[in-house]
Amino acid sequence: MTIGVNGVGSSDPTSATSSSTAASQLSNPQLFLQLLIAELQNQDPTNPTDPSQIMQQTSELSQMEAVNSMSAAITQEESAAQANEATGLIGKSVSATVGGATVTGAVTGVAFDSSGNPTLDVAGTAVPLAAVSEVSAATSGAVTS
């Protein structure tokens, strides 16, 4: 990925905007700081960088880090909620469509795939939680049609 660093001392009013936009697109705070240092080192000494621009760019970095942190927390919460929902179905009777066939039976266990998505064990058939269409009190056995 290549991001151009515009001259800060430039008289072009779009240079600060494009530099700010480039900074907000960075997902790596370390890369942002490297670009900011390069920008400061290469500025025109007769026309130094406006401190408000630096503050705006650092503020954007802080906001981006906060959004990334919140996004990770929400993803973790969703995974925990799915795990809780899936384990709560153990002993319940479910109906689901898997591979075009309807599977109905008691949930006897839960497994999690490599990305953390729960899969229910319904009489030996792996049923993704998202495929469940109906939940009721437990019945004996499983019926596949």
Side-chain angles (χ1 to χ4, degrees):
M1 171 166 89
T2 304
I3 298 175
V5 177
N6 295 322
V8 177
S10 168
S11 61
D12 179 9
T14 61
S15 66
T17 304
S18 59
S19 176
S20 172
T21 303
S24 68
Q25 293 174 348
L26 296 175
S27 61
N28 183 347
Q30 198 64 25
L31 182 58
F32 168 79
L33 292 175
Q34 289 173 347
L35 287 172
L36 182 62
I37 290 169
E39 187 175 354
L40 291 172
Q41 288 174 338
N42 296 314
Q43 68 181 327
D44 181 2
T46 61
N47 190 6
T49 303
D50 180 13
S52 65
Q53 290 176 351
I54 294 173
M55 291 303 295
Q56 179 184 6
Q57 291 174 355
T58 355
S59 172
E60 288 174 357
L61 174 64
S62 296
Q63 289 173 349
M64 181 184 61
E65 288 177 334
V67 166
N68 286 343
S69 176
M70 285 180 8
S71 177
I74 289 170
T75 300
Q76 189 175 22
E77 182 64 29
E78 286 174 344
S79 294
Q82 280 188 341
N84 189 34
E85 183 179 349
T87 55
L89 292 175
I90 294 175
K92 305 266 182 174
S93 180
V94 297
S95 292
T97 303
V98 179
T102 300
V103 177
T104 303
V107 177
T108 57
V110 177
F112 297 92
D113 64 15
S114 60
S115 52
N117 297 320
T119 303
L120 309 175
D121 181 9
V122 180
T125 303
V127 177
L129 180 61
V132 173
S133 58
E134 188 177 320
V135 178
S136 58
T139 60
S140 59
V143 178
T144 304
S145 56

